[in-house]
Amino acid sequence: DIVMTQTPLSLSVTPGQPASISCKSTQSLLHSDGRTYFYWYLQKPGQSPQLLMYEVSNRFSGVPDRFSGSGSGTDFTLQISRLEAEDVGVYYCMQTIEFPPTFGQGTKVEIK
Amino acid sequence: QVQLVESGGGVIQPGRSLRLSCTASGFTFSSFAFHWVRQAAGKGLEWVAAISYHGTKEYNSDSVKGRFTISRDISKNTLYLQVDSLRTEDTAVYYCARAQYFYGSAYAFDVWGQGTMVTVSS
């Protein structure tokens, strides 16, 4: 199975300040079709996970533009340009290039 | 309104069985593949099972292979997870999720249910 490793595992950020989360995979997530099968989710407290980013850098419907994704191959980053209170929760990366789909351990983001 | 609603969880003894359900509404159920993902208390997300949009292919994680069976009833817009020979380590919130294909075979889970709790305890 492809192992997804996130860093850091927790992050405390002052509102209005940027935040960054890294995710590394044990295999390249670049498919032969030229797409990269890498995604970010946010699980807000007490809620189900919600899709944030698809194929590295595409914001899903309704996701604010303060969220951005970058990376390629095996190294990826999620950046929040200015953290807001509603952004707290646990962020997960995920790959679907190979079965089974696998998630990172999660990064807990809280307000400082 | 596009939504998935799970049911069927509860407290059950080790070795027993349970059937989880996930009822879809607001979209064409038969056009999508579906997955089950679970989350133990305070832990991360673990993929459990998947079924293709045409219902002819099923996939299971190694940890549940031979014990869990995924299925669907298109006439009822409902996804199921039959969980047999339950173990204490199966205790978790079980989510159903819709697979959205953005391009080719690249998919992500774009709609999730609220989850149903399964507690395996004697």
Side-chain angles (χ1 to χ4, degrees), chain A residues 4-5 11-12 47-48 51-52 60 73 85-86 95-96 110:
Chain A
M4 308 293 284
T5 303
L11 206 49
S12 183
Q47 296 186 18
S48 306
L51 180 63
L52 280 181
F60 188 57
E86 65 181 24
Q95 67 79 24
T96 60
E110 55 186 17

Side-chain angles (χ1 to χ4, degrees), chain A residues 48, chain B residues 4-8 21-23 36 94-97 112-116:
Chain A
S48 306
Chain B
L4 298 171
V5 178
E6 299 98 335
S7 60
S21 300
C22 169
T23 301
W36 287 96
Y94 284 73
Y95 296 101
C96 59
W112 296 66
Q114 85 288 353
T116 187

Side-chain angles (χ1 to χ4, degrees), chain A residues 6-54:
Chain A
Q6 291 180 229
T7 54
L9 297 183
S10 65
L11 206 49
S12 183
V13 182
T14 301
Q17 293 301 301
S20 180
I21 301 169
S22 171
C23 180
K24 296 182 189 294
S25 59
T26 52
Q27 293 174 218
S28 175
L29 303 184
L30 175 62
H31 194 273
S32 56
D33 62 12
R35 319 296 277 206
T36 302
Y37 291 22
F38 177 83
Y39 310 86
W40 288 102
Y41 293 85
L42 166 59
Q43 186 173 30
K44 296 182 179 181
Q47 296 186 18
S48 306
Q50 59 189 77
L51 180 63
L52 280 181
M53 312 289 295
Y54 64 96

